[in-house]
Amino acid sequence: MTAITEINEKRIQAEDYVQAVFETVKKRNPNESEFHQVVKEVFDSLVPVFEKNPVYMEQSILERIAEPERVITFRVPWVDDQGKVQVNRGFRVQFNSAIGPYKGGLRFHPSVNASIIKFLGFEQIFKNALTGLPIGGGKGGADFDPKGKSDGEIMRFTQSFMLELSRHIGPDVDVPAGDIGVGAREIGYLFGQYKRIRGCYEAGVLTGKGIGYGGSLTRTEATGYGTVYFVQEMLKEIGLSLKGSTVVVSGSGNVSTYAIEKAAQLGAKVVACSDSDGYIYDPNGISLDTVKKLKEVERERIRDYVKEHPHAEYFEGCSGIWSIPCDIALPCATQNEIDEAAAEILVANGVKAIGEGANMPCTSGAINEFLRNTVLFGPAKAANAGGVAVSALEMAQNSSRISWTFEEVDEKLQQIMTNIYRSSVKAAEDYGYPGNLVAGANIAGFIKVADAMIAQGVI
Ligand code: GLU
């Protein structure tokens, strides 16, 4: 056999392996399109890894990594303000504990189902590995819609949710945090209920806690800031910076708010943001004070922004935000919010960089469009890893019963984002995908987890 034929055979063997395992995943998890989407994206980029290291195939690492260690679903009954009993479905997917306790947020949103939680949990395995910190992958949530609920309803729901979840978590077992629909208020209620059930103060059981009771400074800002730090690294490589650039950020929740804040601090003009009803365009640059007041204090809709800023415009519907010309786009709202058509418009308008602040905000068609046109692309599991990284720093502070300053944590966050960028670039180069951070992040995260799994035997 010639050397070339041997290389081709190895490649074909790796491709066949990846394809076969993907078929099994689809069969075993029918109708879970978001889960299939994320698994396919990761699997496809791993072909050269199996080609070079057949031991991962021999050890059936893909089969194992795509099967959660544990999936928990449970009933969440609660009583609404009218006295009516409501029932929601709760989830916790404990996906992989090879490098640390399961770690990942909780999402409260009506769209939550097994597919959504599994896609998020699967992403989390690699994202958490990329941070360089000892955290495994998990995710949870409920198909509960917090929109329009009173504070009392939120508390009763959250307490009922924790009553069941508490059996499955712990500071060295599984450490949930926030995600869409779960912010400081919900984490507070979850923590209070956990403490009451367990009868002890296990601060490290949840992250994203208030600063007065075990939370870490910079955790609130971390995901948004981290996404911008990551984009800054990408821009630096081609001699650009955020200074003077025009930025569009979707969403107006925790990730977007602090992405807007950091981008503005670094000299960018952020001209648009959105919520699930529509988006605002402010050519003067968004007033973050107004957005924070509307979203963090009044819990109102983004359309009310134009009441205070009449020169700004409000548009109903979300997808139109991507037709605003910009240098940098930061999708920070939700999954699949940029499809191929939106990506084509962004490219036609000259976008230079994309930073995924949300989880899987770009469809695979959109990602290909960006890569084809050499738009800098920071994939979610790398670009938005700052949130969970600071969560791990919160756990470290809880274990040692000390608190670091804002500056200390922010400095560590910047270093972590730079390291993630560098390790993704290096893995992409090492495995034949120069400049492709999607592949680089997948590979760097995968190798770390796969090696730990092999070292720990068949479990
Ligand atoms: N939900 C966030 C994420 O998608 C944060 C998770 C955490 O802090 O555990 O990474």
Side-chain angles (χ1 to χ4, degrees), residues 211-232:
I211 302 304
Y213 61 95
S216 172
L217 287 162
T218 325
R219 175 62 189 91
T220 308
E221 296 82 359
T223 316
Y225 277 23
T227 302
V228 175
Y229 292 146
F230 192 89
V231 168
Q232 201 180 17

Side-chain angles (χ1 to χ4, degrees), residues 92 102-107 120 123-124 127-128 135 138-139 175-180 182 207-208 219 223 255 357-359 380 384-392 394-395:
R92 188 72 185 166
Y102 310 106
K103 180 83 196 88
L106 298 171
R107 176 176 292 193
L120 291 164
E123 274 278 285
Q124 203 82 42
K127 183 196 308 199
N128 293 4
I135 39 177
K139 202 85 190 190
V175 182
D179 196 85
I180 294 173
V182 177
T207 60
R219 175 62 189 91
T223 316
V255 183
N359 289 314
N384 77 26
V388 76
V390 174
S391 276
E394 181 173 332
M395 290 162 71

Side-chain angles (χ1 to χ4, degrees), residues 209-212 214-222 390-391 393-394 397 402-410 413:
K209 298 179 295 295
I211 302 304
S216 172
L217 287 162
T218 325
R219 175 62 189 91
T220 308
E221 296 82 359
V390 174
S391 276
L393 300 181
E394 181 173 332
Q397 291 169 83
I402 53 164
S403 305
W404 296 326
T405 64
F406 186 94
E407 289 70 26
E408 273 176 289
V409 183
D410 190 36
L413 169 64

Side-chain angles (χ1 to χ4, degrees), residues 196-210:
R196 181 188 191 198
I197 293 165
R198 294 295 258 253
C200 63
Y201 205 104
E202 292 177 340
V205 70
L206 287 163
T207 60
K209 298 179 295 295

